[in-house]
């Protein structure tokens, strides 16, 4: 026991120390420890050590789950035995983040940068407004009209076009081959860039042609420099890597030039009218081939096809069931359509259709994939072309998808950024149509029976039977047409693995056609038809070039190999103009259908998987088989598809290691070439962004809806249980329910019975339903007492409406290259974070032995 005298001495000592340290004698241990290290500041100054210590203590209490007033024992226990909590995700929830920032905000990163740079942006904006207000406004639309007027006048001058093209070629050759000092090369780039920026503001096709011409000039100049100045390598190893890169670039140049020709002048064909006398309209057989898809996916397409506006005695719908399922047979009998199956299931979809051709007799064949739901106006829109042109063998319409593909769902870009197929169906096929090179895409098309039988039916030699069939018809002199009017819509692939499987089949089939029926080696095609078909086939050979571009920075950063026999300044002087100008030209041509830099993401995802199928098919075209694309599946839990993403992870690790090697090299062994090191590091960093985006796509988001909700705003009538009716409008629909916007909030409990009336023209249809959700003005309804008759009526009022997909392009945000670049960089950053999250989940599952949980 302590004596009173000892206690008094300790008290005096405590008061003395407290006075010296500037603390209260009754303060806690934390304050005493703080003042032993940090003395109290002079009066009037902020006590920063105390402020930081308080924040640190608060953070530690949260992390260790220690309540206020807990003793030292609790702190020690929590340090060694922390309570289990759900780990905070490194990657963002893109859907939630964009919801809070507004539907039109395309990039969270741009939002952050805009917030940080708001003062600078405000000053710059005010200065720019002050300058532009003093300058005369430029009537860009009027300039575009004048350019079109001048071009129309020049078109009437005989023999002028060949003379202009010849002079342009002579000027181009001189432009490509004239050497310039580096400083003048940069000045040339600035001058061309100014012209490109001005031309981009002028509407119309001729400014677009000017931008394409400047791109060809700068690309040709870069090509000439590459061939004459950069292929002198010091060692055989450098020559090997250098020529690999050069070969990959040659491929990109060919595809670039062919693409410019292919999309130079989209035809934008309009529907031709039909005769007034419906008795003269031809007979049409509608084929809906199916193999293993569920009936819930197939039935809407069958019922919609049966409801198309066409004389009933001239329209016959056939369900081609290659799975020979009794359930489908009963369904066909119940709804009144033909049912065809076969004993030998050879040649997959092509064999299924050819078998149906032998069993039917319609003058025309309309073909739909079993998930594509046609509108009521499909035949009236397409058939006029055949009557106007007896040599027309096929009319193709776009493939439109009312559900998101893996890129759109996993990155939440649906109806905000054009999907992967938009470029083909929005621009390329329309450009093909100008050269009479539109080809059959397997669905949403009508084919004249006689030419189809003349070429032996649907082609069976390759797994892309559709394109091969149209190639055969073009060789025989028949014409095809493309109507860029969406007249049917279907389901996109649900998973990345399914998406890749579909693209592998396309790549294999196009390589097979290129090998066995090359457009350049057989008669019957025009020069421009050969270019259009060749570009479609060469596109799928991008696997090897893309992998070369993804790996090549490591050649210098790891081993010091110079793949360009030129200094870094010269490389930038020629590479930057080529890339910038071609990027701006492509943005002008393709921006409505594909945003800048997204092609690199798509190719990075698919490159690894298309290399082997295209190579094998090119060597041995008989290898490979048709694989059916799965549709209508569910993804109950989000997960990273490790099997699919493995190649991206390895390539990502390679480029990250290359960046580390570059940092080491720039401070140690390569101090004499800092610009070269930095240039390769920027290249590797760009690859990291592309590969990070590829990994991020493999993080499959949940998909738990059996029926996808499609936006639709049309008048509707809500029928309450007491018979009272309320005028309202629809918000969205699916095959299982309807979203309604009410004029005012209503007290409707979940499960309450009610009904809704929708109209098709002058006919009203009533649908009994129950309340599925009620949130203020937004009411969700689930249909009850369902039958095929009711499903047919719903399709006629929704999917089958003639105007169902008329405004689909208006929902897309126009391309802005800088915004798109930031968007892709952000996707890459989020993809890397998703990879880290998945790795931590795997470690936690293995070590803690707990099931993985979504963040």
């Amino acid at each position: 026991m302590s004596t009173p005298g000892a206690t008094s001495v300790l008290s005096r000592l405590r008061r003395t120390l407290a006075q010296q340290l500037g603390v209260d004698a009754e303060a806690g241990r934390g304050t005493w420890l703080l003042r032993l290290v940090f003395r109290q500041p002079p009066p009037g100054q902020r006590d920063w050590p105390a402020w930081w210590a308080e924040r640190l203590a608060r953070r530690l209490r949260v992390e260790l789950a220690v309540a206020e007033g807990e003793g030292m024992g609790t702190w020690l226990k929590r340090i060694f035995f922390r309570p289990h909590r759900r780990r905070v995700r490194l990657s963002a929830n893109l859907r939630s983040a964009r919801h809070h920032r507004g539907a039109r905000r395309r990039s969270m990163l741009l939002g952050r940068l805009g917030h940080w740079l708001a003062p600078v942006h405000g000053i710059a904006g005010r200065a720019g407004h002050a300058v532009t207000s003093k300058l005369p406004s430029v009537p860009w639309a009027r300039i575009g009209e004048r350019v079109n007027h001048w071009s129309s006048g020049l078109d009437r001058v005989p023999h002028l076009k060949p003379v202009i093209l010849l002079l342009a070629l002579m000027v181009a050759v001189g432009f490509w081959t004239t050497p310039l000092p580096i400083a003048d090369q940069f000045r040339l780039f600035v001058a061309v860039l100014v012209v490109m920026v001005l031309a981009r503001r002028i509407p119309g096709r001729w400014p677009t042609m000017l931008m394409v011409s400047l791109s060809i000039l700068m690309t040709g100049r870069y090509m000439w420099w590459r061939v004459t100045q950069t292929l002198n390598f010091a060692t055989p190893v450098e020559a090997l890597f250098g020529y690999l890169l050069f070969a990959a670039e040659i491929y990109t140049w060919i595809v670039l030039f062919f693409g410019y020709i292919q999309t130079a002048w989209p035809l934008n064909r309009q529907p031709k009218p039909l005769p007034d006398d419906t008795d003269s309209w031809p007979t049409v057989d509608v084929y809906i081939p199916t193999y293993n898809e569920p009936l819930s996916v197939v039935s809407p397409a069958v019922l919609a096809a049966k409801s198309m506006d066409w004389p009933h005695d001239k329209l016959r719908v056939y369900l081609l069931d290659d799975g020979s399922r009794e359930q489908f047979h009963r369904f066909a009998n119940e709804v009144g359509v033909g049912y065809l199956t076969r004993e030998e299931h050879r040649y997959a979809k092509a064999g299924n259709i050819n078998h149906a051709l032998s069993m039917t007799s319609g003058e025309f064949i309309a073909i739909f994939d079993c998930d594509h739901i046609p509108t009521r106006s499909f035949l009236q829109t397409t058939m006029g072309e055949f009557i106007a042109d007896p040599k027309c063998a096929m009319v193709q319409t776009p493939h439109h998808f009312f559900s998101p593909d893996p890129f759109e769902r996993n990155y939440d870009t649906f109806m905000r950024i054009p999907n992967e197929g938009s470029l083909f169906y929005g621009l390329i096929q329309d450009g093909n149509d100008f050269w009479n090179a539109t080809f059959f895409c397997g669905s949403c098309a009508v084919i004249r029976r006689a030419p189809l039988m003349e070429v032996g039916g649907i082609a069976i030699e390759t797994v892309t039977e559709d394109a091969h069939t149209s190639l055969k018809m073009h060789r025989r002199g028949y014409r095809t047409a493309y109507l860029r009017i969406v007249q049917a819509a279907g389901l996109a692939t649900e998973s990345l693995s399914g998406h890749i499987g579909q693209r592998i089949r396309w790549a294999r089939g196009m390589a097979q056609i290129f090998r066995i029926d090359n457009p350049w080696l057989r008669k019957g095609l025009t020069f421009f038809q050969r270019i259009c078909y060749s570009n479609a086939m060469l596109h799928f050979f991008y696997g090897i070039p893309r992998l070369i571009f993804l790996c090549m920075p490591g050649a210098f950063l790891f081993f010091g190999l110079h793949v360009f026999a030129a200094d870094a300044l010269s490389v930038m002087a020629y590479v930057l103009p080529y890339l910038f100008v071609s990027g701006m030209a492509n943005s002008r041509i393709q921006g409505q259908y594909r945003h800048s830099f997204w092609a690199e993401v798509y190719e990075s995802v698919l490159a690894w998987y298309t290399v082997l199928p295209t190579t094998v098919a090119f060597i041995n075209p008989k290898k490979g088989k048709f694989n059916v694309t799965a549709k209508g599946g569910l993804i109950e839990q989000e997960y990273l598809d490790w099997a699919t993403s493995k190649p991206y992870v390895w390539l990502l690790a390679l480029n990250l290691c290359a960046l580390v090697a570059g940092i080491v090299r720039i401070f140690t062994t390569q101090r004499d070439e800092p610009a070269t090191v930095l240039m390769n590091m920027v290249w590797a960093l760009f690859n990291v962004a592309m590969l990070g985006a590829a990994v991020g796509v493999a993080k499959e988001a949940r998909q738990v809806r059996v029926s996808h909700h499609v936006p639709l705003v049309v008048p509707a009538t809500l029928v309450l249980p007491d018979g009272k009716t309320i005028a309202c409008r629809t918000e969205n629909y699916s095959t299982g329910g309807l979203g309604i916007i009410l004029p005012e909030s209503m007290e409707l409990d979940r499960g309450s019975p009610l009904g809704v009336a929708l109209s098709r023209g002058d006919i009203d249809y009533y649908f009994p339903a129950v309340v599925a959700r009620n949130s203020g003005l937004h009411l969700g309804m689930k249909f009850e007492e369902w039958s095929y008759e009711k499903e047919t009526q719903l399709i006629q009022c929704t999917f089958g409406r003639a105007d169902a997909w008329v405004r689909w392009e208006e929902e897309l945000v126009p391309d802005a290259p800088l915004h798109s670049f930031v968007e892709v960089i952000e996707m890459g950053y989020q993809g890397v974070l998703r990879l880290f999250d998945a790795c931590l989940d795997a470690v936690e599952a293995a070590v803690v032995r707990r099931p993985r949980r979504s963040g």
Side-chain angles (χ1 to χ4, degrees):
M1 290 183 64
S2 60
T3 62
T7 303
S8 177
V9 170
L10 289 174
S11 298
R12 286 198 301 272
L13 179 61
R14 184 184 182 90
R15 285 195 298 272
T16 302
L17 286 174
Q19 185 177 4
Q20 291 294 324
L21 297 177
V23 301
D24 187 356
E26 303 301 325
R29 295 188 184 91
T31 306
W32 279 85
L33 290 173
L34 176 69
R35 292 305 174 211
L36 284 174
V37 180
F38 301 100
R39 301 298 298 272
Q40 191 170 15
Q45 294 187 10
R46 187 166 186 175
D47 192 351
W48 287 106
W51 185 78
W52 280 107
E54 182 182 356
R55 292 197 63 180
L56 177 62
R58 193 161 55 241
R59 181 66 180 174
L60 287 174
R61 285 195 186 94
V62 172
E63 289 294 326
L64 301 178
V66 177
E68 290 281 354
E70 294 284 355
M72 185 60 68
T74 303
W75 279 89
L76 291 173
K77 183 174 71 173
R78 291 300 188 212
I79 289 174
F80 293 103
F81 303 100
R82 295 179 63 179
H84 181 78
R85 287 199 313 251
R86 178 175 294 183
R87 182 174 52 79
V88 176
R89 295 287 166 183
L90 300 175
S91 59
N93 184 330
L94 298 181
R95 186 181 301 274
S96 174
R98 288 202 179 87
H99 173 74
H100 291 300
R101 287 173 170 80
R104 304 296 288 184
R105 172 74 70 186
R106 291 186 294 164
S107 168
M108 294 186 299
L109 186 55
L110 280 180
R112 297 191 193 103
L113 291 176
H115 177 72
W116 296 337
L117 301 177
V120 178
H121 184 269
I123 295 172
R126 287 191 294 271
H129 179 71
V131 173
T132 55
S133 62
K134 297 179 180 179
L135 297 175
S137 60
V138 180
W140 299 110
R142 192 181 306 168
I143 291 175
E145 293 174 1
R146 289 182 179 178
V147 170
N148 289 333
H149 177 72
W150 294 337
S151 65
S152 300
L154 292 175
D155 282 343
R156 291 191 290 269
V157 179
H159 310 298
L160 183 61
K161 283 184 180 179
V163 173
I164 292 177
L165 289 175
L166 182 60
L167 290 174
L169 179 61
M170 295 171 61
V171 171
V173 171
F175 185 90
W176 294 336
T177 58
T178 301
L180 289 176
I182 296 298
D184 290 340
Q185 174 68 17
F186 277 112
R187 292 189 187 99
L188 175 64
F189 172 38
V190 173
V192 171
L193 197 60
V194 170
V195 176
M196 294 286 286
V197 171
L198 293 176
R200 199 171 192 270
R201 288 177 165 268
I202 303 174
R205 289 183 172 181
W206 286 108
T208 302
M209 292 298 100
L210 173 61
M211 297 180 72
V212 169
S213 301
L214 291 175
S215 174
I216 292 173
L217 289 175
M218 298 306 288
T219 302
R221 185 167 179 80
Y222 170 70
M223 290 168 57
W224 180 261
W225 174 78
R226 279 288 277 138
V227 172
T228 60
Q229 302 292 325
T230 67
L231 299 179
N232 301 315
F233 300 105
T235 66
V237 177
E238 284 187 347
L240 174 63
F241 282 88
Y243 279 111
L244 276 176
L245 178 61
F246 183 62
E249 288 188 272
I250 291 175
Y251 167 85
T252 63
W253 298 335
I254 294 172
V255 171
L256 179 70
F257 290 140
F258 280 10
Y260 283 154
I261 295 172
Q262 189 176 26
T263 60
W265 209 267
L267 189 58
N268 195 21
R269 186 190 297 268
Q270 297 302 309
K272 298 290 195 307
L274 287 164
D276 294 333
D277 182 12
T278 58
D279 292 337
S280 65
W281 292 8
T283 57
V284 180
D285 291 335
V286 180
Y287 292 170
I288 302 176
T290 178
Y291 174 60
N292 59 359
E293 298 83 0
L295 185 58
S296 60
V297 170
V298 179
S299 62
V302 174
L303 297 175
K306 189 175 175 236
S307 302
M308 287 191 291
D309 290 339
W310 200 255
H312 290 294
D313 59 330
K314 295 176 180 291
L315 178 67
R316 294 183 287 269
V317 179
Y318 295 94
L319 181 59
L320 315 184
D321 182 21
D322 227 14
S324 302
R325 291 161 289 183
E326 182 60 31
Q327 180 189 19
F328 279 67
H329 194 182
R330 290 196 304 270
F331 163 74
N333 290 335
E334 186 174 344
V335 301
V337 300
Y339 177 83
L340 299 176
T341 188
R342 54 186 179 141
E343 295 182 1
E344 293 187 1
H345 305 287
R346 299 181 64 194
Y347 304 118
K349 180 180 177 181
N352 194 7
I353 294 175
N354 287 337
H355 174 260
L357 286 171
S358 66
M359 305 288 290
T360 60
S361 59
E363 299 170 68
F364 292 88
I365 313 298
I367 300 176
F368 298 97
D369 283 345
C370 64
D371 62 294
H372 276 132
I373 305 173
T375 65
R376 56 184 285 191
S377 58
F378 179 87
L379 290 177
Q380 291 192 1
T381 301
T382 55
M383 292 300 297
E385 192 68 39
F386 293 106
I387 296 173
D389 182 5
K391 291 292 288 183
C392 181
M394 188 271 300
V395 174
Q396 178 70 56
T397 66
H399 290 192
H400 179 65
F401 302 102
F402 55 79
S403 67
D405 67 20
F407 294 91
E408 295 173 304
R409 188 183 64 255
N410 297 338
Y411 274 135
D412 189 35
T413 62
F414 186 51
M415 297 306 294
R416 191 170 56 84
I417 293 176
N419 64 27
E420 189 188 8
S422 294
L423 178 65
F424 179 76
Y425 291 108
L427 178 65
I428 293 177
Q429 278 281 58
D430 215 3
N432 287 341
D433 198 20
F434 181 80
W435 305 113
N436 185 31
T438 299
F439 52 82
F440 177 40
C441 299
S443 179
C444 309
V446 184
I447 306 177
R448 196 187 295 265
R449 177 183 285 270
L452 184 59
M453 300 305 293
E454 186 178 330
V455 298
I458 302 295
I460 59 175
E461 298 89 344
T462 63
V463 295
T464 48
E465 72 291 331
D466 39 22
H468 197 184
T469 300
S470 54
L471 175 62
K472 289 182 175 183
M473 291 192 293
H474 278 132
R475 287 197 190 280
R476 293 179 177 263
Y478 288 103
R479 288 189 286 273
T480 58
Y482 181 69
L483 291 172
R484 192 172 57 85
I485 303 172
V486 177
Q487 289 292 293
L491 293 170
T493 49
E494 268 79 23
S495 66
L496 182 61
S497 59
H499 186 86
I500 290 174
Q502 183 187 65
R503 287 347 189 231
I504 287 174
R505 173 166 61 83
W506 294 357
R508 179 188 292 121
M510 285 300 193
Q512 288 174 326
I513 300 174
F514 194 76
R515 176 70 167 79
I516 67 175
D517 200 0
N518 193 288
W520 296 97
L521 301 180
R522 298 182 63 182
K523 297 179 180 179
L525 299 180
T526 66
F527 175 76
F528 291 106
Q529 283 178 325
R530 297 177 197 275
I531 286 180
C532 292
Y533 273 105
S534 297
N535 199 41
M537 296 170 192
L538 287 174
H539 166 75
F540 289 99
F541 287 91
Y542 61 73
I544 293 177
R546 177 57 57 186
L547 292 177
I548 290 173
F549 293 139
L550 291 173
C551 297
M552 197 54 69
F556 179 81
L557 296 177
F558 286 128
F559 309 111
L561 300 175
H562 292 81
V563 295
F564 275 81
D567 60 272
L569 190 61
S570 298
V571 172
M572 287 188 289
Y574 284 89
V575 171
L576 291 181
Y578 155 58
L579 294 178
F580 269 81
V581 175
S582 62
M584 291 183 69
N586 276 308
S587 176
R588 171 64 178 243
I589 298 171
Q590 305 175 3
Q592 185 179 357
Y593 308 104
R594 175 166 293 177
H595 286 185
S596 302
F597 303 100
W598 278 92
E600 283 77 6
V601 176
Y602 297 140
E603 291 183 6
S604 297
V605 169
L606 299 170
W608 178 270
Y609 292 100
T610 59
V611 168
L612 187 60
T614 52
T615 304
V616 171
F618 186 77
I619 296 171
N620 186 355
K622 295 183 180 180
K623 288 286 186 179
K625 62 180 181 179
F626 189 98
N627 60 296
V628 177
T629 304
K631 300 286 184 72
L634 300 178
I635 300 174
E636 296 183 356
Q637 292 292 334
E638 65 175 25
Y639 66 96
L640 183 72
D641 189 344
W642 286 103
T644 301
S645 63
K646 191 183 299 181
Y648 321 142
V649 173
W650 283 110
L651 290 168
L652 179 63
L654 177 68
N655 280 274
L656 289 173
C657 291
L659 285 172
V660 175
I663 295 172
V664 173
R665 185 174 290 276
I666 203 170
F667 288 108
T668 56
T669 61
Q670 213 79 28
R671 294 183 179 181
D672 57 333
E673 292 184 279
T676 304
V677 177
L678 287 174
M679 185 177 63
N680 281 276
M681 289 180 66
V682 170
W683 187 357
L685 195 60
F686 182 79
N687 288 345
V688 167
M690 298 303 107
L691 292 165
V695 173
V697 175
K699 180 69 176 294
E700 297 286 4
R702 295 179 67 204
Q703 170 55 49
V704 296
R705 284 178 173 170
V706 176
S707 302
H708 294 272
H709 287 207
V710 183
L712 176 71
V713 180
V714 296
T717 302
L718 190 67
V719 182
L720 301 179
D722 59 1
K724 182 181 178 181
T725 61
I726 299 174
C728 54
R729 68 180 189 272
T730 63
E731 182 177 22
N732 56 61
Y733 67 91
S734 70
T735 54
L738 197 67
I740 295 290
I741 299 179
L742 300 171
E744 59 183 20
S745 298
M746 300 182 61
E747 293 295 334
L748 292 172
D749 296 330
R750 186 174 181 178
S752 300
L754 39 70
V756 64
L758 299 175
S759 62
R760 179 196 180 189
D762 298 331
I763 305 175
D764 290 332
Y765 294 109
Y766 174 78
F767 302 95
V770 296
V771 176
R773 59 177 175 82
N774 185 7
S775 55
L777 300 178
H778 299 272
L779 180 68
M781 304 169 58
K782 180 181 178 182
F783 295 127
E784 294 285 307
E785 303 175 17
W786 208 234
S787 65
Y788 289 130
E789 180 184 1
K790 286 295 181 185
E791 186 175 359
T792 301
Q793 294 172 359
L794 178 67
I795 288 171
Q796 291 175 349
C797 297
T798 53
F799 289 100
R801 293 172 59 92
D803 60 348
W805 316 109
V806 169
R807 302 185 183 277
W808 70 275
E809 291 181 347
E810 297 178 3
E811 300 291 331
L812 301 176
V813 179
D815 180 37
L818 179 59
H819 285 251
S820 184
F821 176 74
V822 175
E823 180 96 19
V824 170
I825 295 299
E826 182 182 12
M827 295 300 103
Y829 170 66
Q830 291 295 329
V832 172
L833 294 183
R834 289 180 177 188
L835 176 62
F836 279 123
D837 282 335
C839 290
L840 293 175
D841 282 346
V843 171
E844 184 179 11
V847 175
V848 185
R849 304 226 177 248
R850 293 180 181 272
R852 300 180 188 180
R853 292 186 281 184
S854 60

